[in-house]
Amino acid sequence: MAMTSTVKVWDRPIRLFHWSLAGSVALCWLTADELQSLHEVAGYAVAGLVGLRLALGLAGTRYARFSQFIRSPRRTLLYAGDMLRHKEPRYLGHNPLGAVMVVLLLLMVGGIALTGWMQTTDAYWGVEWVEETHEALAELLLVAIALHVVGVIHASLRHHENLVLAMITGRKRAPAGGDIL
């Protein structure tokens, strides 16, 4: 049985960020109504993780950098059309729709963390629009997470690659002809 060669794509800081964010968001969701102090600590962890990801996106390794994977709206729409026709290329890093999801998730969890923090200040304590925004973003985040999981499953099946395992090990199948680096 021949071994398929692999290459390192996701470095340790990105993988730790990803799984720490997933765990922190899950903890926030589970403690939202019952354990306020734990909810707040997990929320601050989320805020710190978003800050870390922004730094990695600007000055991290190749596949962590926003400049490597954020594509133009036109290119993203072309990719979506190719995907619907089952003709999308494999990307070694994030594909254009994955990039949109990264940005969307960062904006959403950042907004949730911001509105959560605002509720702890004198200026915004009990302000209805802040509470409603916090809750609405948290509910929308669940939809975005579901779409993220569906996208990971779709890309894994389409390109015969376990993307969950890649986010654990950092390694993906070596590029072949037609793959986009």
Side-chain angles (χ1 to χ4, degrees), residues 89-111:
R90 174 182 175 254
Y91 279 73
L92 199 56
H94 288 97
N95 66 50
L97 290 176
V100 169
M101 185 55 72
V102 168
V103 172
L104 180 65
L105 290 170
L106 287 173
L107 287 171
M108 291 178 85
V109 296

Side-chain angles (χ1 to χ4, degrees), residues 15-29:
R15 291 180 285 133
L16 287 172
F17 157 79
H18 180 272
W19 295 113
S20 297
L21 184 64
S24 296
V25 167
L27 187 57
C28 283
W29 186 75

Side-chain angles (χ1 to χ4, degrees), residues 32-91:
D33 295 324
E34 301 299 322
L35 301 167
Q36 192 60 34
S37 60
L38 184 55
H39 180 80
E40 289 178 14
V41 168
Y44 286 123
V46 166
L49 288 164
V50 169
L52 170 65
R53 184 62 182 96
L54 293 176
L56 293 172
L58 296 173
T61 57
R62 177 180 181 182
Y63 292 103
R65 288 181 183 249
F66 298 130
S67 62
Q68 192 280 326
F69 63 84
I70 294 179
R71 311 290 182 193
S72 70
R74 182 180 184 280
R75 191 156 174 196
T76 302
L77 289 172
L78 288 171
Y79 178 84
D82 287 345
M83 188 187 76
L84 291 172
R85 290 186 298 280
H86 303 289
K87 295 181 185 245
E88 77 277 13
R90 174 182 175 254
Y91 279 73

Side-chain angles (χ1 to χ4, degrees), residues 25-26 101 105 108-109 138 140-151:
V25 167
M101 185 55 72
L105 290 170
M108 291 178 85
V109 296
L140 287 172
L141 181 63
L142 295 177
V143 174
I145 290 168
L147 289 172
H148 173 61
V149 170
V150 167

Side-chain angles (χ1 to χ4, degrees), residues 106-149:
L106 287 173
L107 287 171
M108 291 178 85
V109 296
I112 294 165
L114 176 62
T115 55
W117 169 78
M118 288 170 70
Q119 292 178 70
T120 69
T121 67
D122 290 338
Y124 294 100
W125 176 263
V127 175
E128 193 172 336
W129 73 265
V130 176
E131 292 175 15
E132 289 174 357
T133 301
H134 186 75
E135 290 175 11
L137 283 173
E139 290 172 10
L140 287 172
L141 181 63
L142 295 177
V143 174
I145 290 168
L147 289 172
H148 173 61
V149 170

